[in-house]
Amino acid sequence: SLLKYVSANTYIDKTVFGGDLATSGNELESLVQWREAIRDVENHHSVIGNHDNESPVLPSVEARYDFLIAPERTPDMVQPEDTLYYYIDNEQEKTRYLYLSTGRMWVMEDELRFVADSLNSTPAGWRVVVLSHIWFQYEDTFAPTVGSVPDYCQELMRMFDRYNARQSGVNPLCMVPYDFTNGQGEVVLCVGGHTHTDYDFRTEGGIAVMLMETDSYQVTEMFINNREQ
């Protein structure tokens, strides 16, 4: 209801589910209820969280794609067939929205190549906004503290910095080379969650990274704390 209200009454014209729908307990029922609730929300897309990746009711890449990605497919989505990563262009905004899959707690060679190709094909003067579940690791989800940038996220950020700087490099984790000397756009923002706290920082090259808490988690923790007191 809130998403539909926001869409109808504010300037916000797109929403993103940031991952981790499947957590624990009655997962299948929750998944079905969520899918039904957002069925009519326009311009809504999802990325995969680590709990979605580990959920017993979403036991494979195919199952995760069928439930979280396929129902939201639109003609403007560009992705390799049945993958959990893709991009959507907004010509009016001159912005490419790049949706990545970091929920596997790793980024595989095929996705890295897709990222490099997506950056290199970004039109001149366009911005790139990257959306993913994990950018930063946490130390304790029940007393939220920020921890460190996982190696695979660090290498993604390094790719973005080198793209903005029009440089070449090699991702050492999968030995994927990339050449951004002819790049024409600019990565301006990375958005994610996972850390169970609001937090922001910048890459070495100055790209803003914004992590956001989920309101439902805050409400749950408030309930638990009040009950214990």
Side-chain angles (χ1 to χ4, degrees), residues 7 13-16 40-45 74 76 88 90 99:
S7 178
D13 60 359
K14 63 179 64 64
T15 54
V16 180
D40 298 324
V41 177
E42 296 183 2
N43 205 4
H44 176 86
H45 295 88
T74 52
D76 54 358
I88 297 175
N90 187 312
Y99 300 77

Side-chain angles (χ1 to χ4, degrees), residues 71 79 107 120 154 170 191:
Q79 66 180 145
V107 178
N120 273 327
Q154 203 167 58
V170 176
V191 182

Side-chain angles (χ1 to χ4, degrees), residues 126-153:
W126 278 42
R127 299 170 296 185
V128 180
V129 174
V130 190
L131 305 111
S132 184
H133 181 68
I134 299 175
W135 291 113
F136 212 68
Q137 192 57 274
Y138 51 79
E139 294 175 355
D140 187 341
T141 58
F142 291 98
T145 54
V146 291
S148 61
V149 180
D151 288 345
Y152 62 100
C153 292

Side-chain angles (χ1 to χ4, degrees), residues 112-113 115-117 119-120 154-164 166-182:
L112 289 172
R113 293 188 184 280
V115 171
D117 291 344
L119 293 176
N120 273 327
Q154 203 167 58
E155 290 304 325
L156 273 173
M157 294 176 190
R158 188 166 288 119
M159 285 180 67
F160 301 152
D161 284 337
R162 286 180 173 169
Y163 172 73
N164 286 354
R166 307 296 185 248
Q167 297 174 346
S168 301
V170 176
N171 187 300
L173 303 180
C174 296
M175 299 309 295
V176 173
Y178 46 86
D179 182 357
F180 299 135
T181 53
N182 294 316

